[in-house]
Amino acid sequence: MQGGTLSRWTMSYFAAACLMFVLGQGMMLAGYGYPAAAASAPETLVLVHVIAIGWLSLLMVGALLQFVPVLVARSLVGGQLAAPALVLLLVGLLCLVAGFVALSGALDLALGLLPFGAALLVLGFGLIAAVLTVTLIAARPLPLPASFVAVGLVSLLGTILLGAVFSFALSGLTGGTWPLRLVTGGVPLHAMLGLGGWLSLTAVGVSYRLLAMFLLAPEVERPTSRAVWWAGSLAIALVAGCVPLVVFALPGTEMLVSVAMAFTLVAVLLYGGDVVKLYRTRKRKQVELNIHASFAAFAALTLSVLFFNLPELRAGEVSAALVYLFVFGWLSGLGLAQLYKIIAFLTWLETYGPVLGRVPVPRVQDLVDERQARLWFWLYYGSVAAAGLALFAGAGLFFRACVFLQLIATLGVMREFVRARRLSSVPAALRVPPGVIRPNLFLPMFTLWR
């Protein structure tokens, strides 16, 4: 990984994200939030932010801390800020969730926790954005995958600033009518900037590099790849352009969103074509599980964006099923699939890199058991598809049964993460050769898990 070193706190971000993902699915299984509550209910807002911030955003930040230096072949600038940023993000999320609980009336908590949590999240994400932005600026001109990350970071700033305005408006700390108009009409824009810009565009950019690296495919900046960047960037710009229209109660939001969705569909189709080209030009003959598992995520992305281009589906009850497919099929599915490889790869580098060439060491593939993990991925994607159909049909009980299977599959995949960190699948003769120290599970500074 030219220009990259092991990020000290990446595993901590991954561990926190995985715990939040389990918590979020447990909440759905218990009937907390949508569909047991309204889509705009405080309970649903708790669930949404646990998944979007606690799971997906922490996962993305952890990945970027490790792979942005790889994308630009330079060391990370200000990497020591990763630890305080993680604390700010976790405490901020806790306070934000507590504020939503106060809003629901379930517990007698101070409503001021809502803007306080939002402020901490702005600080936490601001630190991360600053670290990554300075690193990107120092590496100009940027390679194409890093350009996706740059647009994703701009989308992140837009997302968190909108969220901060929402939190102040909901807590009653702002006057005037425009914050209330923004709360009423800006929530879909907030979601599009977060899920589409920050998480999806960034994931696409990083995946170009990771897929080429893990498939041993040529890293070529194709015209189609640049078209993906342009189409995605224009879509995000159009969504951002809707914000002043909502603030000043002007018409045109629906038209701009429709054009943005059309650009998004173009980007997704071109991206899918690039993924196929990477697969066909690979030098690695035997494709590993993380790639096969990612294909289901790509299919979920294509289907959800395709149907979101139909206005009657985007505005109707079907939208909940499409959002579910997008969040749990595309973003979460891709996250789990790539984590399966990334954790094994980083564990191998951390454990055996220092002694490489001096003693026999296992392969990266020896850290995982694909036969066992493949069943968990099949169960995960199957239960996500069934849960989406249950939402479409309004079958709440069947939905919770599907979420139960999805949670079991998630725990199964995460068990494989722990086994990789524990070196459980490595042959005993190669597991701990002389000079090797077993890696900590997720805390870099302590030895409690050795």
Side-chain angles (χ1 to χ4, degrees), residues 269-306:
L269 294 176
L270 292 174
Y271 172 59
D274 284 341
V275 170
V276 171
K277 290 175 185 175
L278 283 170
Y279 183 81
R280 289 178 174 173
T281 58
R282 73 189 189 278
K283 295 180 180 178
R284 185 184 295 277
K285 297 302 181 183
Q286 186 174 358
V287 177
E288 296 172 337
L289 178 59
N290 66 298
I291 302 297
H292 287 302
S294 297
F295 287 156
F298 299 144
L301 169 65
T302 304
L303 286 175
S304 55
V305 171
L306 178 63

Side-chain angles (χ1 to χ4, degrees), residues 99 103 110-116 164-176 179-180 183:
L103 195 63
L111 200 57
L113 288 169
L114 198 57
F116 180 69
V165 173
F166 294 162
S167 68
F168 277 86
L170 291 173
S171 62
L173 295 180
T174 56
L180 295 178
V183 170

Side-chain angles (χ1 to χ4, degrees), residues 271-352:
Y271 172 59
D274 284 341
V275 170
V276 171
K277 290 175 185 175
L278 283 170
Y279 183 81
R280 289 178 174 173
T281 58
R282 73 189 189 278
K283 295 180 180 178
R284 185 184 295 277
K285 297 302 181 183
Q286 186 174 358
V287 177
E288 296 172 337
L289 178 59
N290 66 298
I291 302 297
H292 287 302
S294 297
F295 287 156
F298 299 144
L301 169 65
T302 304
L303 286 175
S304 55
V305 171
L306 178 63
F307 286 120
F308 258 119
N309 269 271
L310 302 175
E312 60 274 15
L313 297 183
R314 187 166 65 245
E317 290 297 324
V318 183
S319 62
L322 296 179
V323 170
Y324 195 89
L325 183 63
F326 189 89
V327 170
F328 291 95
W330 155 236
L331 290 172
S332 300
L334 182 70
L336 288 174
Q338 293 307 314
L339 270 182
Y340 180 74
K341 179 67 175 184
I342 290 171
I343 288 177
F345 181 56
L346 297 183
T347 300
W348 183 86
L349 285 175
E350 177 186 356
T351 307
Y352 302 109

Side-chain angles (χ1 to χ4, degrees), residues 98-164:
F100 286 131
V101 172
L103 195 63
S104 72
L107 293 175
D108 186 17
L109 298 173
L111 200 57
L113 288 169
L114 198 57
F116 180 69
L120 292 179
L121 288 171
V122 170
L123 286 175
F125 281 121
L127 282 179
I128 293 298
V131 167
L132 297 175
T133 300
V134 171
T135 304
L136 292 175
I137 290 174
R140 290 178 301 172
L142 294 178
L144 185 58
S147 298
F148 280 93
V149 175
V151 177
L153 290 174
V154 173
S155 301
L156 170 63
L157 293 177
T159 304
I160 60 175
L161 291 177
L162 272 179

